[in-house]
Amino acid sequence: MKIRLALPQDVDLLAMLEKKHLNDELASASMGLQGQAFSHSELSELVQHHWVVVAQVEQQIVGYVIAGRWGFFEHWPIYRTLLNRLGQLDWDGAKLTKANSCQYGPIWVQQAYRGQGIFEALVREIRRQVAPHFSYMLTFIAEDNERSFAAHSGKAHMQVVDFFTVSARDYYLMAAKTQA
C-alpha cells in the first residue's frame, strides 16, 4: 500500500468514487437525506490548492481523505453554520479560528480494505500535510453516524468540541491537533 498526495491525473477517478460512495455515511436511505459530492472542478481545485491524500494498492485507489482551507468550503450552508461557531469555541487552551484550523474530510476507504490500517494511515498523512499551515483540523459527523464517530474519536484521536443542528440533522463538531 502506498499513501501519497493525489495527482491531477487522479481527479477523474476521485470524482467517480465521490459519486459512487456519496451516501455511504448516511444512516438510512429512507431518511430522505443525500450527501453532496464534490464536482470534478472542485476536486481539481482541492488537489491543486489544498490537500487530497490517497491510499493506493497496486494501481487502484482504495481510499482518500480531503482537507482544505475554509475559503473553499464556506459557500455551503453547513460550513457557514460551522464557521459562525468558530471564534466562540475554546479547545485545547486556544480559540478555534479560520486562521488556525482547516476542514478535514470526507474520508473514504473501500469496504474490502477496511480494518487494515488505511484509515489511520490516511489521517496520519493528511495531518502531516496540513501541520505546516494549521494547528487544528476540524470535521463534523452526523450524530447518527456511529461508525464514523467511533473511527474519528478512536483511530483519529479527534474530540468533540461542539454540537450543532443544520436542516433538522444533528452533528458533532470534532477537532484534532495537527501535530501530536
Side-chain angles (χ1 to χ4, degrees):
M1 173 182 60
K2 181 178 182 181
I3 303 293
R4 62 171 176 80
L5 281 172
L7 304 169
Q9 56 264 36
D10 296 323
V11 171
D12 289 340
L13 179 58
L14 290 170
M16 188 273 303
L17 290 171
E18 270 280 286
K19 286 180 183 160
K20 182 177 179 183
H21 300 286
L22 173 65
N23 295 314
D24 285 357
E25 65 92 20
L26 299 177
S28 167
S30 66
M31 295 173 66
L33 298 171
Q34 281 195 312
Q36 179 181 350
F38 293 113
S39 69
H40 191 278
S41 64
E42 289 166 337
L43 285 164
S44 291
E45 182 178 340
L46 285 163
V47 166
Q48 293 174 17
H49 303 290
H50 302 269
W51 304 272
V52 179
V53 173
V54 300
Q56 182 177 329
V57 174
E58 297 175 9
Q59 299 304 313
Q60 181 182 7
I61 292 177
V62 299
Y64 64 90
V65 63
I66 293 169
R69 293 170 184 87
W70 290 112
F72 175 83
F73 295 95
E74 63 191 355
H75 70 278
W76 284 296
I78 195 164
Y79 295 104
R80 283 196 305 270
T81 298
L82 194 156
L83 287 167
N84 286 336
R85 300 175 91 75
L86 292 185
Q88 305 166 27
L89 300 174
D90 291 316
W91 183 70
D92 191 46
K95 284 219 179 288
L96 297 174
T97 67
K98 283 176 72 171
N100 70 7
S101 68
C102 68
Q103 163 60 26
Y104 151 85
I107 186 168
W108 171 81
V109 177
Q110 186 177 325
Q111 187 138 10
Y113 290 89
R114 293 179 185 168
Q116 299 178 28
I118 293 173
F119 179 94
E120 296 94 325
L122 287 168
V123 171
R124 190 170 38 254
E125 182 59 18
I126 203 79
R127 269 193 176 123
R128 191 180 79 71
Q129 292 292 329
V130 301
H133 309 278
F134 302 102
S135 299
Y136 304 100
M137 296 188 314
L138 302 179
T139 197
F140 59 92
I141 298 174
E143 180 185 31
D144 57 358
N145 192 343
E146 295 173 9
R147 278 191 342 202
S148 183
F149 182 83
H152 284 89
S153 59
K155 296 175 182 180
H157 309 290
M158 298 188 90
Q159 295 179 3
V160 175
V161 296
D162 199 13
F163 191 78
F164 64 99
T165 303
V166 173
S167 300
R169 193 166 190 208
D170 297 326
Y171 296 91
Y172 295 106
L173 176 59
M174 301 184 79
K177 288 183 181 181
T178 57
Q179 295 184 5

